[in-house]
Amino acid sequence: RPEGLPEEVDVLIVGCGPAGLVLAAQLANFPDVTTMVIDRRDGPLEVGQADGVACRTVEMFEAFGLADQLIAEGYWVNEVSFWRPDPDDRSRITRTGRIQDVEDGLSEMPHVIVNQARMLAYLRGSMERSASRLRPHYGLHASELTVDPSGESEHPVTVTLQHLADFRETGRTSTVRARYVVGCDGARSGVRTAIGRELVGDLTNQTWGVMDVLAVTDFPDIRLKAAVSADQGSVLIIPREGGYLVRIYLELDAVRDRDMLENRSVTPEKLAAVANRILHPYTIEVKDVGWWSVYEIGQRLCDKFDDVPAAETPSRHPHVFIAGDACHTHSAKAGQGMNVSMADAWNLGWKLAAVLRGTAVPDLLHTYSAERQEVAAELIAFDREFSRMFSAAPKEGGDSGDDEDIDPERFQRYFAAQGRFTAGVATRYAPSMITASPEFQDLARGLPVGMRFHSAPVVRLADAKPVQLGHVARADGAWRLYVFADRSDPASPDSRARALCDFLVSEKSPIARHTPAGADPDSVIDVRAVFQQGHRDLPVDAMPAVLQPRKGRFGLVDYEKAFCPDPAAGDIFDLRGIDRDAGCVVVVRPDQYVAHVLPLDAHDELADFLAGILVDAR
Ligand code: FAD
């Protein structure tokens, strides 16, 4: 048995792609959870694969402290241009429009392009810096998986690992027993097969030619994301980080000139020749090919993302999960593969950690498949439409309204209208044990229950620093209560915000109930308050005790819990439609999704909601 290879772990993650490493980075923040992450590759991915990083993914990376690096390094997709045949000479393309990529105010984060290999490197960096100092084990192929059905074993899942050298079997194997196994092992997932699930959907694959090139061209939009739809086929141009590199996507099934690609013997030279035909009268001279691939993918989906049959849910708890391409595949056109895979893992990670650490009830684990399967189904429906629009040949005389005849201008309008979806901020989880019904939504109209907490600028009271409120949410597994205060002075007895803060330090407080002895008071439920007064008008020392918790070995006071509006950047109460008279408390899950909006005086409802999820630690 190789050194450092454990025999028993809490979580075994199979696969070091985007899903596997987000999950590993999340679990690495909990040193009391033992995690092992393996891949059959002989080392980290060095280049290639996906590269689109949606605004929502950048928001998630912020929780890992990785957003600054990503934003600095990435290409920013600020605008997109659209090209189609010139009506006067259809052999030439002409620009039909140029639009903003991300609508104003959708996210504080940009849409960026960064190579998947770099994204994975950031995540490995986060894992290595974490309290667990977690590192992937490469050269291990998970070949067999069995689950002990008796329910008596603490580590019911047994996985056989074949040791590989240069992707070849060495004949050596090890076994690992795990409480939970997560198959982040891609579209051909063996974990999926082992739990008897399958990807269902299109029988045929779409084939994409993709290459990252250094090129000299007279095509004017080479540093803009450009969707070109010509009689010869379609090409998507994605400028890359660093200023020179460009990614060219060609949908090979849509290329009209078949002899270019006969027998699927695609080469970068053939891809470049097709790109030149499509871009005519412009030319692109490829000087160097950094990476290229022919990438085949169909639109497919699993009916459930865990090992428990629907008939036995919720009575039996899952022990094996699948995430990312293992449970859904779709085209690369809308750039969602890496993003949705990471979002799956982000959804699962905090739930596994909470159950393993004994802070949440195991029923929580059922919500992973329920939530993410629905998101994947929506994505596939969206991708189908988006792909059809993208690939349809432009017709002479423009859009006739016929389904087969999609004018690029119609595609352009569709593209703009779907911006929220592609930015990753349209996800809305249905009511469940962790998502309340939106009974009090009027109190915070801009923070819809079930959707991600949309950050907004504020000024931190204690040090007058302008910050984004949403960025207080780290990948630390804590629930967050954002108390949006009513108009009263928080020191006055009329203040409902004050009364809530006092309740939160009382005997009946959910904090007292759910925080394990010895843990920091904000480690399970973290309270942040936003007052309506200016930051110079509120004395810091008059803040309620829950907003000045004493933490750590020295009992230091955490002063970073209270905020005020930032008039220079926009008042958060206006930006997020908060009822100024009533105020409200917004309950946010550890993955930044709004779980509940409640009136400030709904103390018992707040406590009851959290008691349905969190374990009584007293
Ligand atoms: P993956 O990234 O596929 O990771 C799965 C990992 O599991 C791999 O590292 C694999 O080695 C490992 N693994 C599999 N089986 C086992 C096993 N039994 N034991 C141990 N390890 C195992 N998307 C785009 O949007 N644009 C693109 O241009 C694009 N190009 C792509 C090109 C290629 C060649 C591929 C394969 C994918 C491409 N994708 C692209 C898709 C995108 O990369 C995926 O959507 C995304 O990587 C999914 O992440 P994941 O973590 O679910 O799976």
Side-chain angles (χ1 to χ4, degrees):
R1 188 176 197 90
E3 211 182 318
L5 209 61
E7 288 180 21
E8 279 183 354
V9 290
D10 290 326
V11 185
L12 171 67
I13 303 169
V14 182
C16 288
L21 291 194
V22 163
L23 185 59
Q26 169 67 91
L27 294 175
N29 286 342
F30 305 103
D32 46 348
V33 173
T34 53
T35 305
M36 177 179 178
V37 51
I38 63 153
D39 201 293
R40 67 176 168 215
R41 301 176 59 87
D42 53 1
L45 181 75
E46 278 169 12
V47 71
Q49 300 200 13
D51 59 3
V53 186
C55 302
R56 176 66 198 135
T57 303
V58 187
E59 293 176 10
M60 181 187 83
F61 264 50
E62 172 61 30
F64 288 97
L66 298 171
D68 288 348
Q69 210 181 347
L70 173 61
I71 291 170
E73 185 173 326
Y75 169 86
W76 289 31
V77 188
N78 288 338
E79 297 192 357
V80 187
S81 74
F82 297 86
W83 293 72
R84 55 161 294 166
D86 185 334
D88 297 328
D89 174 0
R90 292 188 62 84
S91 73
R92 303 165 64 91
I93 55 164
T94 182
R95 192 194 287 115
T96 57
R98 179 165 159 167
I99 62 168
Q100 191 170 322
D101 180 73
V102 178
E103 106 191 39
D104 287 338
L106 201 62
S107 170
E108 76 284 11
M109 295 303 191
H111 171 195
V112 299
I113 303 290
V114 171
N115 193 285
Q116 179 168 327
R118 289 291 300 151
M119 296 292 283
L120 300 181
Y122 296 145
L123 292 165
R124 284 194 307 275
S126 167
M127 288 157 57
E128 277 171 28
R129 288 189 297 274
S130 72
S132 310
R133 307 250 175 272
L134 185 62
R135 286 184 172 195
H137 293 270
Y138 292 102
L140 292 176
H141 172 83
S143 58
E144 270 173 55
L145 180 151
T146 53
V147 185
D148 175 359
S150 71
E152 280 160 22
S153 169
E154 282 213 353
H155 295 84
V157 197
T158 303
V159 177
T160 306
L161 304 176
Q162 292 181 341
H163 300 226
L164 310 183
D166 295 330
F167 291 94
R168 279 193 291 274
E169 287 179 29
T170 58
R172 283 180 296 133
T173 60
S174 310
T175 52
V176 175
R177 285 183 303 282
R179 289 179 203 269
Y180 299 101
V181 170
V182 188
C184 301
D185 47 347
R188 296 201 175 91
S189 170
V191 174
R192 180 185 67 222
T193 311
I195 59 170
R197 304 228 169 263
E198 52 181 329
L199 283 176
V200 178
D202 284 359
L203 295 175
T204 53
N205 282 338
Q206 295 172 344
T207 311
W208 287 80
V210 48
M211 53 182 182
D212 291 338
V213 299
L214 295 171
V216 175
T217 179
D218 55 357
F219 179 64
D221 288 354
I222 197 68
R223 295 307 298 165
L224 285 180
K225 178 171 171 179
V228 183
S229 198
D231 289 343
Q232 298 285 337
S234 317
V235 60
L236 190 60
I237 290 185
I238 315 255
R240 292 287 301 271
E241 62 274 24
Y244 297 105
L245 200 63
V246 172
R247 171 164 287 196
I248 298 175
Y249 275 112
L250 287 158
E251 192 186 353
L252 300 186
D253 308 299
V255 168
R256 310 308 168 226
D257 191 343
R258 299 306 308 166
D259 55 285
M260 273 290 192
L261 303 159
E262 63 187 8
N263 305 326
R264 293 257 188 262
S265 60
V266 182
T267 61
E269 291 73 27
K270 285 187 181 181
L271 293 176
V274 174
N276 270 288
R277 288 190 169 208
I278 293 170
L279 292 173
H280 180 77
Y282 305 104
T283 58
I284 183 158
E285 191 189 341
V286 173
K287 299 283 189 187
D288 190 51
V289 180
W291 173 80
W292 76 281
S293 166
V294 173
Y295 159 53
E296 281 196 26
I297 200 138
Q299 284 146 335
R300 298 192 192 115
L301 177 65
C302 268
D303 60 342
K304 206 159 179 287
F305 294 180
D306 62 38
D307 63 327
V308 180
E312 293 175 42
T313 306
S315 58
R316 183 147 79 80
H317 292 127
H319 284 278
V320 184
F321 303 86
I322 45 177
D325 276 12
C327 31
H328 44 74
T329 62
H330 36 82
S331 84
K333 265 174 264 193
Q336 296 298 299
M338 178 162 67
N339 294 290
V340 176
S341 300
M342 290 188 174
D344 287 346
W346 177 228
N347 181 293
L348 178 60
W350 67 270
K351 295 174 181 173
L352 274 177
V355 171
L356 281 163
R357 302 176 80 217
T359 57
V361 297
D363 278 352
L364 179 61
L365 297 177
H366 289 299
T367 64
Y368 165 68
S369 178
E371 292 188 334
R372 296 307 298 175
Q373 207 273 350
E374 201 176 309
V375 168
E378 279 170 20
L379 169 63
I380 285 170
F382 164 78
D383 188 54
R384 216 166 254 141
E385 181 66 2
F386 194 81
S387 301
R388 198 178 62 81
M389 290 275 217
F390 187 88
S391 315
K395 290 280 165 68
E396 238 165 305
D399 189 2
S400 69
D402 179 342
D403 260 11
E404 292 304 308
D405 175 13
I406 291 147
D407 190 272
E409 282 159 29
R410 197 165 134 210
F411 174 62
Q412 189 176 316
R413 285 196 301 276
Y414 180 78
F415 180 92
Q418 298 302 328
R420 286 167 182 242
F421 197 93
T422 45
V425 299
T427 300
R428 185 193 290 252
Y429 294 132
S432 69
M433 66 181 284
I434 45 172
T435 307
S437 63
E439 196 183 336
F440 300 103
Q441 191 66 72
D442 280 355
L443 299 177
R445 287 185 311 282
L447 296 171
V449 175
M451 298 186 83
R452 68 81 156 94
F453 180 83
H454 188 179
S455 183
V458 286
V459 173
R460 200 157 57 198
L461 179 66
D463 61 355
K465 184 178 180 184
V467 291
Q468 280 285 338
L469 184 60
H471 295 189
V472 303
R474 313 315 290 171
D476 57 6
W479 285 74
R480 292 196 159 77
L481 305 183
Y482 294 94
V483 177
F484 288 96
D486 48 318
R487 289 185 199 270
S488 319
D489 179 335
S492 103
D494 308 334
S495 163
R496 271 168 295 185
R498 174 107 212 171
L500 174 60
C501 288
D502 290 345
F503 167 72
L504 289 171
V505 290
S506 74
E507 285 263 297
K508 286 165 76 185
S509 163
I511 298 177
R513 184 170 182 181
H514 301 298
T515 309
D520 277 340
D522 58 356
S523 59
V524 178
I525 300 169
D526 175 20
V527 184
R528 310 279 173 155
V530 189
F531 297 99
Q532 297 192 34
Q533 291 77 3
H535 67 274
R536 291 187 183 166
D537 303 328
L538 292 180
V540 175
D541 50 358
M543 283 293 116
V546 76
L547 300 178
Q548 304 191 62
R550 313 269 318 235
K551 290 162 63 175
R553 194 152 61 97
F554 298 116
L556 301 180
V557 177
D558 184 342
Y559 290 104
E560 301 193 344
K561 305 287 187 183
F563 304 86
C564 294
D566 181 352
D571 187 312
I572 186 169
F573 285 82
D574 297 334
L575 288 172
R576 297 294 167 257
I578 313 285
D579 185 320
R580 287 182 179 274
D581 294 321
C584 64
V585 54
V586 179
V587 183
V588 177
R589 303 161 25 159
D591 58 358
Q592 303 168 328
Y593 280 79
V594 177
H596 211 343
V597 173
L598 280 164
L600 288 174
D601 52 11
H603 301 178
D604 292 342
E605 290 87 338
L606 175 65
D608 290 348
F609 177 72
L610 292 168
I613 306 157
L614 299 173
V615 168
D616 194 332
R618 287 172 301 187

